[in-house]
Amino acid sequence: MNELNPNNIPKHVAIIMDGNGRWAKQQGKMRVFGHTNGVKAVRRSVSYARQIGVQSLTLYAFSSENWNRPEAEVSALMTLFMQALDREVKKLHKNNIKLLILGDKSKFSDKLQEKIAKAEKLTENNTALTVNIAANYGGCWDIVQATQKLAGQVKAGELAPEQINEELFQQMLVTKAQPPVDLLIRTSGEQRISNFLLWQIAYAELYFTDVLWPDFNEEEFNRAVFAFQQRERRFGGSE
């Protein structure tokens, strides 16, 4: 693996975990087989992010548009989500990792919402790494819900419109006080943002790989971070 500069580790890495279905098709299996093996890639990514000192890792698990997939696949994804919460949260807690589920959780079953609340409560004081699972999440939804919160404060007389600035708006997003995304990775060769963290990735470096998500491992994560470290980030400034 490439030797990384420990002084230039991205604070916040976001990953669009794409390619589970194609990976399963290559194996002659159902799509859910790809999702199941994708959980292993999640474990590897969380472990490597903690190892190199990433502060926040956000994984795009289920977009608000994914409800349009076949009912059987959505049901299998929800079951897998619940099973993963049961299995993984104790390991995360043991490794001082905080877990947050980002998105509109109101569409989930009461049982799943309860599991999410318990997992977040258990890990809320952990400090080594924050793992955000974006589930029923959309970047446009995130911006709208933040706007609604601010509009509510203005209506209640708690806030004047001219007091609204970028910093305050950012506090209303689901990522709140976490750093903006430095590095966005998308697997499977697709080169789209797909309505993910639209505000938070304003100055992110983008890294696209042909590797399908179930095959994403420490070596590929290392390549992405190494590529990030080779780039000159100007944040809109001149060369």
Side-chain angles (χ1 to χ4, degrees), residues 125-234:
N125 295 318
N126 294 341
T127 57
L129 168 68
T130 297
V131 172
N132 303 302
I133 304 295
N136 196 26
Y137 175 87
C140 292
W141 166 85
D142 196 4
I143 291 169
V144 168
Q145 66 85 31
T147 305
Q148 289 172 338
K149 287 179 186 174
L150 290 170
Q153 291 184 20
V154 171
K155 184 178 180 182
E158 299 167 357
L159 185 70
E162 58 270 19
Q163 290 178 287
I164 298 172
N165 54 28
E166 290 184 16
E167 184 178 353
L168 182 60
F169 191 88
Q170 185 172 312
Q171 295 299 315
M172 298 296 148
L173 297 169
V174 291
T175 45
K176 296 182 181 175
Q178 296 183 54
V181 176
D182 294 311
L183 172 62
L184 173 68
I185 301 169
R186 182 167 187 153
T187 58
S188 89
E190 302 292 346
Q191 299 187 15
R192 293 187 297 275
I193 301 305
S194 296
N195 194 20
F196 186 42
L197 299 174
L198 298 178
W199 177 282
Q200 295 89 334
I201 64 169
Y203 284 103
E205 297 296 323
L206 309 183
Y207 181 88
F208 301 105
T209 173
D210 290 332
V211 171
L212 301 177
W213 178 247
D215 290 328
F216 190 82
N217 55 23
E218 293 86 349
E219 288 78 10
E220 191 59 36
F221 202 155
N222 170 269
R223 277 192 281 272
V225 176
F226 185 74
F228 166 85
Q229 293 189 343
Q230 308 315 303
R231 300 180 188 180
E232 182 185 355
R233 306 184 73 203
R234 295 192 294 273

Side-chain angles (χ1 to χ4, degrees), residues 2-64:
N2 300 297
E3 186 174 347
L4 300 178
N5 176 359
N7 298 315
N8 189 23
I9 299 297
K11 291 183 177 68
H12 191 164
V13 177
I15 306 179
I16 300 174
M17 306 180 293
D18 198 9
N20 287 340
R22 271 167 283 173
W23 186 88
K25 188 176 181 181
Q26 290 175 3
Q27 315 291 319
K29 304 281 188 179
M30 300 286 286
R31 288 177 63 90
V32 68
F33 182 72
H35 296 312
T36 301
N37 280 272
V39 174
K40 298 175 183 176
V42 170
R43 277 193 213 109
R44 292 192 295 265
S45 299
V46 170
S47 175
Y48 188 69
R50 188 188 187 288
Q51 177 188 327
I52 65 174
V54 171
Q55 293 179 17
S56 293
L57 176 67
T58 302
L59 304 173
Y60 206 7
F62 190 84
S63 77
S64 46

